[in-house]
Amino acid sequence: MADTQARRPEIPAASYHYRRPLRLAELAPAIGAGVGVGVAVFYVARLFLQRTPLVREPGIAQLDEHGMIVRRPRAGIVRR
């Protein structure tokens, strides 16, 4: 069964690629993008850490155990 399958063509030695050392001028865009992404992530993380926690205010209507809206009077206001 292996005899009936076509063999892969061999890659000639002329298509060999090598890595050359890069100069600083060639690396500058990648370094700049990395620093920019790092600053953006730091900013977003700092926003999340400094945000005000969500707390219920006493003047906002709330639901009771039956799902009915309960309106609580504000402090200092007397209803008659």
Side-chain angles (χ1 to χ4, degrees):
M1 191 168 186
D3 296 332
T4 60
Q5 293 180 354
R7 293 186 179 210
R8 292 187 202 173
E10 292 186 17
I11 299 173
S15 66
Y16 175 75
H17 297 288
Y18 65 94
R19 295 182 64 158
R20 63 180 176 82
L22 298 175
R23 297 182 317 221
L24 183 60
E26 296 170 325
L27 288 175
I31 292 171
V35 169
V37 168
V39 168
V41 168
F42 176 78
Y43 176 72
V44 170
R46 187 169 173 178
L47 283 178
F48 276 110
L49 291 174
Q50 291 182 348
R51 67 184 176 147
T52 305
L54 298 175
V55 180
R56 286 189 182 206
E57 296 180 17
I60 297 176
Q62 299 175 6
L63 300 178
D64 64 0
E65 62 273 359
H66 302 293
M68 301 296 291
I69 294 177
V70 177
R71 299 185 189 275
R72 295 190 171 93
R74 295 181 186 167
I77 298 176
V78 179
R79 289 188 173 179
R80 295 181 191 224

